[in-house]
Amino acid sequence: EAGVAQSPRYKIIEKRQSVAFWCNPISGHATLYWYQQILGQGPKLLIQFQNNGVVDDSQLPKDRFSAERLKGVDSTLKIQPAKLEDSAVYLCASSLRWQTQYFGPGTRLLVL
Amino acid sequence: KQEVTQIPAALSVPEGENLVLNCSFTDSAIYNLQWFRQDPGKGLTSLLLIQSSQREQTSGRLNASLDKSSGRSTLYIAASQPGDSATYLCAVLSNFNKFYFGSGTKLNVKP
C-alpha cells in the first residue's frame, strides 16, 4: 500500500513570496489533514477535510493561508504572502474517519 | 480548550532499560489517543491507538495505557534499543473531532 505523498520536500523562499505544497493521501482515505510543525513543538492542525469539504479550519491563518481538496483526493496548501514565522515543517496526513492517521514525510519550509 | 502535555521533554537511558513516557490531557472527553514516533527529518509513524473505551494496547515491546478519568496515558518501552531513539508524540482526538498533539519526548538510547 502506497503511503501519503508530499512535494516538494524542501523549499526556501523570501518573505512576501508565495509557496504551494501538494499532498496525495492514501487511496480510499476520505479524511485529509494539514499540520504545521514548528521546531521543538508538536504538530498543530491547520485544516481538516472530509472528502472535499472542510471539517475544521479554525487554526488556519486565512489572511495568508488557503487550502483546497479537489475531487476529494489530492490537496494543495498555499501561503501568500509568506512571513518569517511560517518557517516550519508542513505535514499532510490521511485516515479513514476517526481512525489511525498516516503521515507523509513533510515539506520543510524556510522563509528568509 | 484541550491541552496535551508530555513529560519529560527529553530522556536519555542506557540500552536494555525499561522506560515510561508520560502524556497528560486536560479534557477527558476524548474519542481516542494515539502514540506516534518521529525520526529526525521524517513524518510521524503511528505506534498505537487506544479507543476511549480501552485501557491499554500492546505491540511488541510497546505497551500504551489510558486512564481517561485522570487524563493520563503512558507508553512503556521494554528492553530499549538504540534504534528506539526518536521523538515520541501523543495526540488526542476530542469528541468534537479535533486533534491535539503534545510537544513530544525526545528519547536517546545509548549503546
Side-chain angles (χ1 to χ4, degrees):
Chain A
E1 176 183 83
V4 176
Q6 288 188 249
S7 68
R9 293 295 311 278
Y10 305 93
K11 191 75 178 179
I12 301 175
I13 61 173
E14 295 188 350
K15 60 183 179 182
R16 292 188 289 274
Q17 286 187 322
S18 63
V19 64
F21 313 128
W22 173 82
C23 173
N24 181 244
I26 292 174
S27 177
H29 282 191
T31 309
L32 185 147
Y33 315 82
W34 282 103
Y35 290 89
Q36 179 192 59
Q37 186 177 25
I38 294 173
L39 188 64
Q41 299 181 15
K44 181 182 81 171
L45 180 67
L46 293 176
I47 189 167
Q48 177 182 343
F49 292 95
Q50 183 70 21
N51 295 308
N52 57 347
V54 176
V55 174
D56 181 3
D57 63 357
S58 57
Q59 298 192 95
L60 186 73
K62 298 180 185 64
D63 57 334
R64 299 184 299 106
F65 286 64
S66 64
E68 61 180 7
R69 189 182 185 194
L70 299 177
K71 300 180 182 178
V73 181
D74 293 8
S75 178
T76 56
L77 176 70
K78 297 179 182 178
I79 307 175
Q80 181 179 14
K83 293 185 176 181
L84 297 177
E85 58 261 36
D86 298 332
S87 294
V89 177
Y90 291 84
L91 296 164
C92 178
S94 70
S95 72
L96 296 172
R97 188 171 174 81
W98 288 14
Q99 298 302 319
T100 300
Q101 295 182 71
Y102 295 89
F103 281 78
T107 296
R108 191 174 300 271
L109 174 67
L110 179 60
V111 182
L112 302 175
Chain B
K1 180 188 172 186
Q2 177 77 268
E3 291 186 8
V4 181
T5 304
Q6 291 187 248
I7 295 173
L11 181 64
S12 184
V13 300
E15 181 177 3
E17 194 163 293
N18 302 326
L19 59 101
V20 174
L21 306 181
N22 297 294
C23 172
S24 61
F25 46 95
T26 55
D27 187 349
S28 62
I30 66 169
Y31 189 77
N32 63 42
L33 183 145
Q34 197 165 1
W35 282 93
F36 293 89
R37 168 185 173 139
Q38 186 171 32
D39 293 284
K42 303 284 181 66
L44 280 67
T45 300
S46 178
L47 297 173
L48 291 164
L49 182 147
I50 311 177
Q51 301 292 354
S52 63
S53 59
Q54 297 176 319
R55 297 286 291 183
E56 65 179 305
Q57 282 284 340
T58 297
S59 176
R61 294 182 294 107
L62 306 180
N63 176 276
S65 68
L66 174 64
D67 184 343
K68 203 172 72 164
S69 61
S70 67
R72 293 181 184 177
S73 176
T74 61
L75 179 66
Y76 174 82
I77 302 177
S80 59
Q81 304 170 358
D84 295 330
S85 297
T87 296
Y88 291 80
L89 297 127
C90 71
V92 299
L93 174 60
S94 75
N95 286 349
F96 298 100
N97 202 27
K98 286 178 180 265
F99 280 98
Y100 299 90
F101 275 83
S103 55
T105 294
K106 187 174 183 179
L107 174 66
N108 178 36
V109 181
K110 299 172 289 186

